[in-house]
Amino acid sequence: MKAALWMSAGAMAVCSAFGWAAQPDAQAIGKSLAMSVAVDSNKGAAAGAPCADLGADWALCLKGRVILENKGSQAVAAEGWSLYLHSIRRILKLDTSQFSIRHLTGDLYELKPTAGFKGLAPGQKLELPLIAEYWILQNSDVLPRPYVVVHGQAPALLAHNSSDDASYLQPLKGDDWKHPGGEARPLMTAEQRYVALSQRGPAPSAAAVANRVIPAPLRQQAGAGQLAVKGVSLTLAGVSHAQRQALEQRASQLGLAAAGVGVEGRVVGAALPADLAVPGGYRLDIGAAGVKVEGFDAAGVFYGVQTLYGLLPQGGGVIARQRVEDAPRYQHRGFMVDVARNFRQPATLKRLIDQMAAYKLNKLHLHLSDDEGWRIEIPGLPELTEVGGKRCHDLSESRCLLPQLASGPANQSGGGYLGREQYIELVRYAQARSIEVIPEIDMPAHARAAVVAMEARYRKLMAEGKPQQASEFRLTDPQDQSNTLSVQFYDRRTYLNPCVPGTSRFVDKVISEVAAMHREAGQPLATWHFGGDEAKNILLGGGFQDVSGKDPGKGKVNMAEQDQPWGRSPACKALVASGKAAKISDLPLNFSREVSRIVARQGAATMAAWQDGIHGAGGPGDFATRNLMVTEWDTLYWGGAKTASELAAKGFQTVLAMPDYLYFDFPYELNPKERGYYWASRATDSYKVFSFAPDNLPQNAEVMPDRQGQPFEAVSEAAPARYAGMQGQAWGEIMRTDAQFEQMVYPRLLALAERAWHRAGWERPYRVGERYQLGVTNLVNKAALNQDWQQFAAVFGYREAAKLEKAGVGYRVALPGVQPGGRAIAEWPGARLQHSQDGKSWQAYRPGEESDARYWRGVSLDGKRVSRVEVLGQ
């Protein structure tokens, strides 16, 4: 050790004698340097920024500053290091002579000192003016984990920027929290929340909702008397052993004894009334002698028992004797989990499956690949997970993908994958709970993880002298020089090339291996999700013009340098020349048809795609599978109702996935402190999800505004459409941890389940020619909607929240709504609130109590988790 210190000191002396700068210590810089971002104006053009000249989409940009501060005791060196940082907004200009900036890929940038930078003394701050595209409105827009790189040393995280929950955005000033295009709603504060919650009407008592269950059944008939249930003995015919075990596990989780009230169940098929004789339909009789369940099928028996459990509080109790007759509204009641951007642990996914089963959701859509990660083991292609399953600082991307989404230089977050056996176990677990797993491998775009991994494989095998094996699954045309920029700022390697032979071999290999896993799990592959979305160059979009253009509202780019995906690929040009494709822009649709043939060969009846993945198709007959399911993700205020109707009219199995209602990576409410992306909605709370009317999409325009709080009109133009179902989406970009995932998903998942299973009385029938607009029309019975909501909310607060906590689910703790100097309420009756005079000493708030406290927060029923602190007057 002493020798090492002597050598280090000697080396420094030699460097000093010859005028060489000593190499800085990356770890020391990481401990000292802190970074934050300040927004000066989200209306950059109005503040003098040359947004159009810098190439901002629709000439929309912000002016702000990157603030570097030395919080250590030693100076930060003037040279010899770089800072790598993440930005979800394209950085268009760093207006300083002290640092240069370089975009690597996606959200990753390198900030490097120039000769103009003289170092940073302890306590010193340096502000670097920048111009970035669009706007920054939420704390979560500024990502953590920037890191320092010094040649020959291990990269070092900035210790002051390493938390997943802290904010690195300086508080927004004035109206900069508002969308630059206008915002009609007030900021959601504790005081405003009290107003909003009060408008929904009085909350019922626990006794008033004793017979209400989530999701609500088709009909209930009260009986005479009650039945005490502290344990259950299940005798079920027509269901699998695994299904019965799953129901017993749920009973145990609810604190029910393994012996007790007899529950007899059997499959009776068409013997049920016609409206119940559908997959998942059932009749539940709770009588003096016990419980009887008759299901149309095994799923119906399963759901009947779940309804019994839903009527019970945690630990069991006394319930009314009654008959429940029930059947699902939709056969597709789904939830999509993006495990590609940030991986979710198997235990978290199993908790999700448990809750989906409890609330009768039946399709788990797993988004297994994207630009930022590949999350399923494929035998024979280890590079997919060895390289594509982790992110680290390797500029060659031979060992891993480059860091994205604040993953850190050594895979500090987001990494991981499902091994083959883990995936089989997960599918088997879902099958036992009446849930179909729908795997998605997104292509041809959003495929960078696969492309990079297969390039690493190519280089490795070429070095081993195996050129044929190297090219077998290569996904690129090495001569392709197309200049493109994807939606999330990747170059041409975001797209696998549909014109090279390695691609079809790769697709066949992946689908066949995943299909084999499903067979082994006892759930043969029924639906393969192809993805297919966003195969485009964003710089060719409507918000851009050529550098010679004169429109002040569009960004300027050199259009001569821009290409469609594969526009300069010799392989694709040859394919077009051969007549197998009419033009380059037809390649995505041609490729989707080719994939459908591969899917059909594996015996799957259905291929699914996001709606832009089948753009240009005339109908499901264009594809080789028996069915073509479309996941429709247009917003309602941008014409989503019309698009969904048109897709259904063409014969596509249309699943509604409207982002303004069903994207659970969006903020719960309008406040910069809320986590989430917000391109379609800045406020999607459980009430909004609950209010969604899927069978009459235009109706929603009378209940909720657009993303800026503005009313919009929706018209029932087309003939009534029958949709296959609906599903929620949990995109993973801003959910870096499983705890964040659960906070964003629950309790919105329960509202999703309610609407997917049950058609409420306040949902109007679809009538051609009707017009809906918030504040203009008055067709929807909003009093009935609010009454229904309050019953749902009471069931969650009095009954279901405790069940979630017992299951280990970290749902979002309700925030308080406070009447200054008066009373406080929460979204959920029965939720616990605390108040404080100083923000340090907290006391339980008693419902109805008047309080002059300034500090407020919510707390979970078990007291283990708290919400953020709300300060009155802020």
Side-chain angles (χ1 to χ4, degrees), residues 318 358 547 640 795 821 825 873:
V318 177
V547 289
V795 173
I825 55 178

Side-chain angles (χ1 to χ4, degrees), residues 349-357 364 426 429 433 435:
L349 294 175
K350 285 185 175 181
R351 281 198 301 274
L352 173 66
I353 290 170
D354 285 338
Q355 301 314 314
M356 288 177 65
L364 176 59
L426 197 69
Y429 194 86
R433 288 154 181 81
I435 293 171

Side-chain angles (χ1 to χ4, degrees), residues 440-584:
E440 178 191 353
I441 300 296
D442 207 349
M443 56 181 67
H446 290 286
R448 189 175 187 275
V451 171
V452 170
M454 292 298 94
E455 285 298 286
R457 179 181 188 274
Y458 173 82
R459 292 192 297 271
K460 180 182 71 174
L461 292 174
M462 287 296 289
E464 295 173 1
K466 302 174 181 177
Q468 185 174 350
Q469 291 174 262
S471 298
E472 184 179 8
F473 297 110
R474 197 177 190 190
L475 303 177
T476 62
D477 176 354
Q479 298 181 63
D480 183 7
Q481 296 299 311
S482 301
N483 184 31
T484 63
L485 189 68
S486 75
V487 172
Q488 291 174 318
F489 316 135
Y490 298 102
D491 64 12
R492 61 179 172 271
R493 293 204 298 174
T494 188
Y495 323 101
L496 52 78
N497 191 303
C499 308
V500 298
T503 292
S504 59
R505 287 193 290 263
F506 175 83
V507 174
D508 187 85
K509 168 70 171 174
V510 169
I511 296 177
S512 64
E513 292 290 351
V514 175
M517 296 180 212
H518 275 254
R519 286 192 297 273
E520 192 169 331
Q523 186 185 85
L525 183 65
T527 306
W528 177 268
H529 206 295
F530 157 75
D533 57 313
E534 299 180 325
K536 60 185 178 182
N537 178 358
I538 62 170
L539 298 181
L540 295 177
F544 298 94
Q545 62 185 330
D546 187 62
V547 289
S548 61
K550 304 298 182 183
D551 188 340
K554 292 186 177 183
K556 295 183 178 181
V557 297
N558 188 338
M559 288 296 179
E561 296 179 353
Q562 298 304 315
D563 302 302
Q564 295 179 30
W566 319 294
R568 297 192 201 178
S569 163
C572 289
K573 288 182 178 181
L575 193 72
V576 171
S578 73
K580 293 181 180 178
K583 51 187 182 298
I584 293 291

Side-chain angles (χ1 to χ4, degrees), residues 202-213 790-792 794-795 798-799:
S205 66
V209 295
N211 290 332
R212 177 70 154 85
V213 67
Q790 290 290 35
Q791 292 175 354
F792 172 90
V795 173
Y798 292 132
R799 203 184 305 155

Side-chain angles (χ1 to χ4, degrees), residues 67-82:
I67 302 171
L68 301 178
E69 181 179 2
N70 186 348
K71 293 187 174 183
S73 58
Q74 297 180 349
V76 172
E79 60 181 337
W81 59 278
S82 291

